[in-house]
Amino acid sequence: MRSACIISALMAIAAAAPAPSPQLIDLAGVDAAPDPVLVSAPMDVASDPVEKRDIGLVKRGGTCAPQPAGSGPVPTPDTPAAFTASAELQAFAQIAPTPDGYTAAFQNKDGSLSASNYMGLYTLKAFDTLGCASLCDQANGCQAFNMYIERDPTVAPNALDCPNPASLTNYKCTLWGAPVVAEQARNKGQWRASFQVVITGSNGYNKASPPDPITGFTGPTALGGAINAPLDNGKNTYLGYKYFPFSQTQGYTPTTCADACNAQTGYNSRHPNADGSYATCSFFNAYVLSQNAIPQGLYCSLYSKTWAPSYATNRGQYRGTDRFTVSRSYSYTLTQ
Protein backbone atom coordinates (compact mmCIF):
# COMPACT_ATOMS: atom_id res chain seq x y z
CA MET A 1 0.00 0.00 0.00
CA ARG A 2 2.91 2.31 0.82
CA SER A 3 4.24 2.04 -2.74
CA ALA A 4 0.79 2.76 -4.12
CA CYS A 5 0.62 5.92 -2.00
CA ILE A 6 4.03 7.02 -3.23
CA ILE A 7 3.00 6.46 -6.84
CA SER A 8 -0.21 8.41 -6.30
CA ALA A 9 1.74 11.27 -4.74
CA LEU A 10 4.20 11.34 -7.59
CA MET A 11 1.36 11.41 -10.10
CA ALA A 12 -0.17 14.36 -8.27
CA ILE A 13 3.15 16.24 -8.30
CA ALA A 14 3.57 15.54 -12.00
CA ALA A 15 0.08 16.80 -12.75
CA ALA A 16 0.69 19.99 -10.82
CA ALA A 17 4.14 20.68 -12.27
CA PRO A 18 4.47 22.71 -15.47
CA ALA A 19 5.11 20.85 -18.71
CA PRO A 20 8.80 20.21 -19.42
CA SER A 21 10.61 22.35 -21.94
CA PRO A 22 10.76 20.97 -25.47
CA GLN A 23 13.70 18.58 -25.80
CA LEU A 24 15.42 20.51 -28.57
CA ILE A 25 18.87 19.69 -29.83
CA ASP A 26 21.42 22.08 -28.35
CA LEU A 27 22.89 23.27 -31.65
CA ALA A 28 25.07 25.85 -29.92
CA GLY A 29 26.57 23.12 -27.79
CA VAL A 30 27.13 20.97 -30.86
CA ASP A 31 28.86 23.86 -32.61
CA ALA A 32 31.12 24.35 -29.60
CA ALA A 33 32.22 20.73 -29.57
CA PRO A 34 35.25 19.59 -31.61
CA ASP A 35 34.64 18.74 -35.26
CA PRO A 36 34.49 15.04 -36.14
CA VAL A 37 37.82 13.51 -37.03
CA LEU A 38 37.82 12.37 -40.67
CA VAL A 39 40.39 9.92 -42.01
CA SER A 40 40.91 8.11 -45.29
CA ALA A 41 41.99 4.52 -45.76
CA PRO A 42 45.55 4.20 -47.09
CA MET A 43 45.94 3.53 -50.80
CA ASP A 44 48.00 0.90 -52.55
CA VAL A 45 48.16 -1.48 -49.56
CA ALA A 46 46.76 -5.00 -49.42
CA SER A 47 45.52 -4.93 -45.83
CA ASP A 48 45.48 -2.50 -42.94
CA PRO A 49 44.31 -3.81 -39.55
CA VAL A 50 43.82 -0.50 -37.80
CA GLU A 51 44.73 -1.82 -34.36
CA LYS A 52 48.25 -2.61 -35.61
CA ARG A 53 49.23 0.74 -37.06
CA ASP A 54 49.39 4.46 -36.45
CA ILE A 55 47.12 6.14 -39.00
CA GLY A 56 49.49 9.07 -39.18
CA LEU A 57 52.56 7.00 -40.02
CA VAL A 58 51.94 5.22 -43.32
CA LYS A 59 55.21 4.39 -45.05
CA ARG A 60 55.33 4.34 -48.83
CA GLY A 61 57.56 2.35 -51.15
CA GLY A 62 59.57 3.78 -54.00
CA THR A 63 61.92 0.85 -54.58
CA CYS A 64 60.40 -0.43 -57.84
CA ALA A 65 59.62 -3.63 -55.95
CA PRO A 66 56.83 -5.74 -57.48
CA GLN A 67 53.47 -5.30 -55.75
CA PRO A 68 50.90 -8.04 -55.02
CA ALA A 69 48.97 -9.00 -58.14
CA GLY A 70 45.56 -7.45 -58.62
CA SER A 71 42.34 -9.41 -59.15
CA GLY A 72 40.40 -7.13 -61.49
CA PRO A 73 40.63 -6.31 -65.20
CA VAL A 74 42.92 -3.52 -66.36
CA PRO A 75 41.26 -1.16 -68.88
CA THR A 76 42.79 -0.33 -72.24
CA PRO A 77 44.43 2.10 -72.59
CA ASP A 78 46.10 1.83 -69.19
CA THR A 79 45.38 5.37 -68.04
CA PRO A 80 43.63 6.93 -65.03
CA ALA A 81 40.92 8.39 -67.30
CA ALA A 82 40.19 4.99 -68.87
CA PHE A 83 40.02 3.43 -65.41
CA THR A 84 37.49 5.88 -63.98
CA ALA A 85 35.41 5.74 -67.19
CA SER A 86 35.43 1.94 -67.48
CA ALA A 87 31.89 0.62 -67.89
CA GLU A 88 33.16 -2.87 -67.09
CA LEU A 89 34.48 -1.81 -63.68
CA GLN A 90 31.47 0.34 -62.86
CA ALA A 91 29.16 -2.56 -63.65
CA PHE A 92 30.58 -4.47 -60.67
CA ALA A 93 29.36 -1.72 -58.36
CA GLN A 94 26.04 -1.29 -60.14
CA ILE A 95 25.01 -4.95 -59.93
CA ALA A 96 26.48 -5.73 -56.50
CA PRO A 97 23.84 -6.94 -54.05
CA THR A 98 23.05 -4.97 -50.92
CA PRO A 99 23.81 -7.43 -48.09
CA ASP A 100 20.97 -8.37 -45.80
CA GLY A 101 21.18 -6.34 -42.61
CA TYR A 102 22.57 -3.27 -44.42
CA THR A 103 21.19 -0.33 -46.38
CA ALA A 104 22.95 1.29 -49.31
CA ALA A 105 24.30 4.78 -48.57
CA PHE A 106 25.72 5.41 -52.06
CA GLN A 107 26.64 3.56 -55.24
CA ASN A 108 29.25 3.79 -57.99
CA LYS A 109 31.10 6.89 -56.80
CA ASP A 110 34.59 7.84 -58.01
CA GLY A 111 35.95 8.31 -54.49
CA SER A 112 36.42 6.20 -51.39
CA LEU A 113 35.37 7.31 -47.92
CA SER A 114 36.93 10.06 -45.91
CA ALA A 115 34.96 9.54 -42.73
CA SER A 116 35.11 8.98 -38.98
CA ASN A 117 36.25 5.97 -36.97
CA TYR A 118 38.23 4.06 -39.60
CA MET A 119 38.53 0.39 -38.61
CA GLY A 120 40.70 -1.23 -41.28
CA LEU A 121 41.16 -2.20 -44.92
CA TYR A 122 41.11 -5.53 -46.77
CA THR A 123 41.85 -6.45 -50.37
CA LEU A 124 39.38 -9.00 -51.74
CA LYS A 125 39.52 -11.28 -54.75
CA ALA A 126 36.29 -9.91 -56.22
CA PHE A 127 33.84 -7.03 -55.84
CA ASP A 128 32.26 -8.92 -52.95
CA THR A 129 29.81 -6.85 -50.91
CA LEU A 130 28.72 -9.99 -49.04
CA GLY A 131 32.28 -10.76 -48.03
CA CYS A 132 32.92 -7.16 -46.99
CA ALA A 133 29.71 -7.19 -44.91
CA SER A 134 30.89 -10.37 -43.20
CA LEU A 135 34.17 -8.65 -42.26
CA CYS A 136 32.14 -5.76 -40.81
CA ASP A 137 29.99 -8.20 -38.84
CA GLN A 138 33.13 -9.76 -37.38
CA ALA A 139 34.59 -6.39 -36.31
CA ASN A 140 33.27 -5.22 -32.96
CA GLY A 141 31.67 -1.80 -33.37
CA CYS A 142 31.63 -1.78 -37.18
CA GLN A 143 28.69 0.28 -38.42
CA ALA A 144 29.43 0.70 -42.13
CA PHE A 145 31.67 -0.44 -44.96
CA ASN A 146 32.97 0.86 -48.28
CA MET A 147 33.56 -1.48 -51.23
CA TYR A 148 35.46 0.06 -54.16
CA ILE A 149 37.88 -0.54 -57.03
CA GLU A 150 41.35 1.01 -56.95
CA ARG A 151 43.99 1.56 -59.65
CA ASP A 152 47.37 0.67 -58.14
CA PRO A 153 50.90 0.33 -59.58
CA THR A 154 52.45 -3.03 -60.43
CA VAL A 155 55.72 -1.89 -58.82
CA ALA A 156 56.40 0.65 -56.07
CA PRO A 157 57.08 3.86 -58.08
CA ASN A 158 59.94 6.25 -57.62
CA ALA A 159 60.67 9.39 -59.58
CA LEU A 160 63.87 8.15 -61.24
CA ASP A 161 63.69 4.45 -62.07
CA CYS A 162 59.97 3.61 -62.35
CA PRO A 163 57.94 6.83 -62.18
CA ASN A 164 54.81 5.60 -63.98
CA PRO A 165 54.62 1.80 -64.10
CA ALA A 166 51.79 -0.28 -65.55
CA SER A 167 48.74 -0.56 -63.33
CA LEU A 168 46.80 -3.33 -61.68
CA THR A 169 43.23 -3.38 -60.35
CA ASN A 170 42.36 -4.11 -56.71
CA TYR A 171 39.04 -4.62 -54.96
CA LYS A 172 39.13 -2.84 -51.60
CA CYS A 173 36.93 -3.17 -48.53
CA THR A 174 37.16 -0.66 -45.67
CA LEU A 175 35.34 -0.78 -42.35
CA TRP A 176 33.98 2.16 -40.35
CA GLY A 177 32.66 2.61 -36.83
CA ALA A 178 30.17 5.37 -37.67
CA PRO A 179 27.41 5.73 -40.30
CA VAL A 180 28.47 7.02 -43.72
CA VAL A 181 26.88 9.19 -46.41
CA ALA A 182 27.56 9.86 -50.08
CA GLU A 183 29.11 13.26 -49.36
CA GLN A 184 32.00 11.50 -47.59
CA ALA A 185 33.03 9.55 -50.73
CA ARG A 186 35.54 12.22 -51.70
CA ASN A 187 38.91 10.49 -51.49
CA LYS A 188 39.71 10.59 -55.20
CA GLY A 189 43.19 9.10 -55.11
CA GLN A 190 46.77 10.29 -54.98
CA TRP A 191 50.01 10.57 -56.91
CA ARG A 192 52.91 8.21 -56.35
CA ALA A 193 55.77 9.70 -58.34
CA SER A 194 54.13 10.04 -61.79
CA PHE A 195 51.66 7.22 -61.19
CA GLN A 196 48.10 8.25 -60.39
CA VAL A 197 46.06 6.11 -58.01
CA VAL A 198 42.35 6.58 -58.75
CA ILE A 199 39.09 5.01 -57.64
CA THR A 200 35.88 3.90 -59.30
CA GLY A 201 32.82 1.81 -58.44
CA SER A 202 32.69 2.95 -54.81
CA ASN A 203 29.68 1.68 -52.84
CA GLY A 204 28.88 2.46 -49.20
CA TYR A 205 26.58 0.57 -46.82
CA ASN A 206 25.27 1.20 -43.28
CA LYS A 207 24.40 -1.55 -40.82
CA ALA A 208 20.78 -1.91 -39.75
CA SER A 209 19.73 -1.48 -36.11
CA PRO A 210 19.86 -4.57 -33.86
CA PRO A 211 16.65 -6.44 -33.02
CA ASP A 212 14.64 -5.70 -29.89
CA PRO A 213 15.19 -7.31 -26.49
CA ILE A 214 13.00 -10.32 -25.71
CA THR A 215 11.16 -10.82 -22.43
CA GLY A 216 12.70 -13.69 -20.46
CA PHE A 217 16.05 -13.49 -22.25
CA THR A 218 19.12 -11.27 -22.07
CA GLY A 219 20.41 -9.90 -25.34
CA PRO A 220 20.66 -9.36 -28.18
CA THR A 221 24.40 -9.95 -28.51
CA ALA A 222 25.77 -9.22 -31.98
CA LEU A 223 27.70 -12.05 -33.60
CA GLY A 224 30.10 -12.12 -36.53
CA GLY A 225 28.59 -15.33 -37.90
CA ALA A 226 26.58 -18.30 -36.68
CA ILE A 227 27.57 -20.18 -33.52
CA ASN A 228 29.65 -23.30 -34.13
CA ALA A 229 29.97 -24.75 -30.63
CA PRO A 230 32.42 -27.50 -29.65
CA LEU A 231 31.67 -30.22 -27.12
CA ASP A 232 31.52 -28.96 -23.55
CA ASN A 233 33.68 -31.42 -21.56
CA GLY A 234 32.53 -34.15 -23.91
CA LYS A 235 28.88 -33.10 -23.77
CA ASN A 236 26.96 -31.91 -26.80
CA THR A 237 25.06 -28.72 -25.94
CA TYR A 238 23.51 -28.30 -29.39
CA LEU A 239 19.79 -29.07 -29.27
CA GLY A 240 19.10 -28.74 -32.98
CA TYR A 241 17.60 -25.96 -35.03
CA LYS A 242 14.32 -24.59 -36.29
CA TYR A 243 14.05 -22.93 -39.67
CA PHE A 244 11.25 -20.57 -40.66
CA PRO A 245 11.10 -19.57 -44.34
CA PHE A 246 10.18 -15.95 -44.91
CA SER A 247 6.59 -15.35 -45.97
CA GLN A 248 3.79 -12.85 -45.59
CA THR A 249 3.47 -13.96 -41.96
CA GLN A 250 7.11 -14.71 -41.14
CA GLY A 251 9.84 -12.09 -41.14
CA TYR A 252 13.05 -11.47 -39.22
CA THR A 253 11.61 -11.94 -35.74
CA PRO A 254 14.01 -13.43 -33.17
CA THR A 255 11.01 -13.81 -30.86
CA THR A 256 10.09 -16.75 -33.10
CA CYS A 257 13.37 -18.37 -32.09
CA ALA A 258 12.66 -17.62 -28.41
CA ASP A 259 9.32 -19.40 -28.74
CA ALA A 260 11.08 -22.34 -30.42
CA CYS A 261 13.64 -22.46 -27.62
CA ASN A 262 10.95 -22.54 -24.93
CA ALA A 263 8.98 -25.12 -26.89
CA GLN A 264 12.08 -27.33 -27.11
CA THR A 265 12.47 -27.19 -23.34
CA GLY A 266 8.81 -28.13 -22.97
CA TYR A 267 9.22 -31.09 -25.32
CA ASN A 268 12.35 -32.27 -23.53
CA SER A 269 10.63 -32.08 -20.13
CA ARG A 270 7.85 -34.31 -21.45
CA HIS A 271 10.38 -36.77 -22.86
CA PRO A 272 13.09 -36.93 -20.19
CA ASN A 273 16.08 -39.21 -20.01
CA ALA A 274 15.84 -42.50 -18.09
CA ASP A 275 17.05 -40.75 -14.93
CA GLY A 276 14.43 -38.04 -15.28
CA SER A 277 16.84 -35.35 -16.42
CA TYR A 278 16.35 -33.26 -19.55
CA ALA A 279 18.12 -30.49 -21.41
CA THR A 280 16.85 -26.94 -21.03
CA CYS A 281 17.15 -24.63 -23.99
CA SER A 282 18.97 -21.72 -22.37
CA PHE A 283 20.57 -20.02 -25.38
CA PHE A 284 19.74 -19.48 -29.02
CA ASN A 285 21.27 -17.90 -32.12
CA ALA A 286 18.89 -16.22 -34.56
CA TYR A 287 20.09 -15.23 -38.02
CA VAL A 288 19.02 -14.74 -41.61
CA LEU A 289 20.11 -17.41 -44.06
CA SER A 290 20.53 -16.13 -47.63
CA GLN A 291 21.13 -17.99 -50.87
CA ASN A 292 23.04 -16.06 -53.53
CA ALA A 293 22.36 -12.82 -51.63
CA ILE A 294 18.58 -13.48 -51.46
CA PRO A 295 17.25 -13.84 -47.87
CA GLN A 296 15.52 -17.19 -47.50
CA GLY A 297 14.42 -17.50 -43.90
CA LEU A 298 15.00 -17.22 -40.16
CA TYR A 299 17.40 -19.84 -38.79
CA CYS A 300 17.29 -20.63 -35.06
CA SER A 301 20.09 -22.69 -33.49
CA LEU A 302 19.25 -23.92 -29.97
CA TYR A 303 21.68 -24.75 -27.16
CA SER A 304 21.67 -25.85 -23.52
CA LYS A 305 24.63 -23.56 -22.74
CA THR A 306 25.55 -19.96 -23.47
CA TRP A 307 28.39 -19.56 -25.96
CA ALA A 308 30.54 -16.47 -26.38
CA PRO A 309 30.69 -14.48 -29.65
CA SER A 310 34.14 -15.94 -30.30
CA TYR A 311 32.39 -19.20 -31.26
CA ALA A 312 30.42 -17.49 -34.05
CA THR A 313 32.76 -18.82 -36.74
CA ASN A 314 30.25 -20.19 -39.26
CA ARG A 315 29.97 -17.42 -41.85
CA GLY A 316 28.32 -19.40 -44.61
CA GLN A 317 29.19 -22.04 -47.14
CA TYR A 318 28.93 -23.06 -50.76
CA ARG A 319 26.89 -25.85 -52.29
CA GLY A 320 28.12 -26.16 -55.83
CA THR A 321 27.89 -22.65 -57.23
CA ASP A 322 25.26 -21.57 -54.70
CA ARG A 323 26.54 -19.34 -51.93
CA PHE A 324 24.81 -19.40 -48.55
CA THR A 325 25.57 -16.55 -46.16
CA VAL A 326 24.76 -15.60 -42.58
CA SER A 327 23.54 -12.13 -41.62
CA ARG A 328 21.80 -10.34 -38.74
CA SER A 329 23.21 -12.96 -36.39
CA TYR A 330 22.36 -12.33 -32.73
CA SER A 331 22.26 -14.47 -29.61
CA TYR A 332 20.00 -14.45 -26.56
CA THR A 333 20.42 -16.15 -23.19
CA LEU A 334 17.55 -17.39 -21.02
CA THR A 335 17.17 -15.27 -17.88
CA GLN A 336 17.91 -17.43 -14.84
Side-chain angles (χ1 to χ4, degrees), residues 96-306:
T98 298
D100 178 70
Y102 289 82
T103 58
F106 56 87
Q107 183 183 53
N108 197 30
K109 298 293 186 180
D110 61 357
S112 62
L113 282 170
S114 180
S116 299
N117 206 348
Y118 168 67
M119 297 183 65
L121 175 148
Y122 300 86
T123 298
L124 307 184
K125 295 296 185 183
F127 197 96
D128 185 5
T129 52
L130 302 181
C132 196
S134 178
L135 291 169
C136 185
D137 289 342
Q138 296 169 52
N140 185 36
C142 182
Q143 295 297 315
F145 70 88
N146 183 197
M147 186 81 221
Y148 58 94
I149 310 171
E150 185 175 285
R151 180 181 190 261
D152 293 323
T154 51
V155 300
N158 68 46
L160 297 178
D161 301 318
C162 52
N164 189 21
S167 78
L168 55 82
T169 300
N170 280 318
Y171 300 109
K172 299 295 183 72
C173 163
T174 58
L175 310 182
W176 302 86
V180 300
V181 295
E183 289 75 11
Q184 294 172 311
R186 58 191 182 193
N187 184 7
K188 306 288 186 176
Q190 65 181 21
W191 289 93
R192 297 191 60 194
S194 296
F195 183 90
Q196 188 176 5
V197 176
V198 291
I199 289 163
T200 193
S202 178
N203 291 2
Y205 303 87
N206 289 313
K207 182 176 287 187
S209 300
D212 292 331
I214 298 175
T215 301
F217 291 82
T218 58
T221 299
L223 304 176
I227 292 291
N228 189 15
L231 295 178
D232 181 34
N233 295 320
K235 181 180 178 181
N236 186 11
T237 65
Y238 178 56
L239 302 179
Y241 74 92
K242 302 295 182 183
Y243 177 66
F244 301 92
F246 290 143
S247 67
Q248 287 297 103
T249 57
Q250 178 63 61
Y252 176 65
T253 53
T255 52
T256 302
C257 294
D259 292 342
C261 184
N262 291 330
Q264 186 66 51
T265 298
Y267 177 87
N268 292 349
S269 68
R270 296 189 298 273
H271 302 83
N273 299 319
D275 61 359
S277 65
Y278 62 91
T280 298
C281 181
S282 58
F283 175 81
F284 69 85
N285 176 197
Y287 63 88
V288 174
L289 180 68
S290 296
Q291 180 179 358
N292 300 325
I294 306 299
Q296 301 295 305
L298 174 67
Y299 198 102
C300 310
S301 296
L302 312 179
Y303 297 87
S304 61
K305 172 184 174 175
T306 298

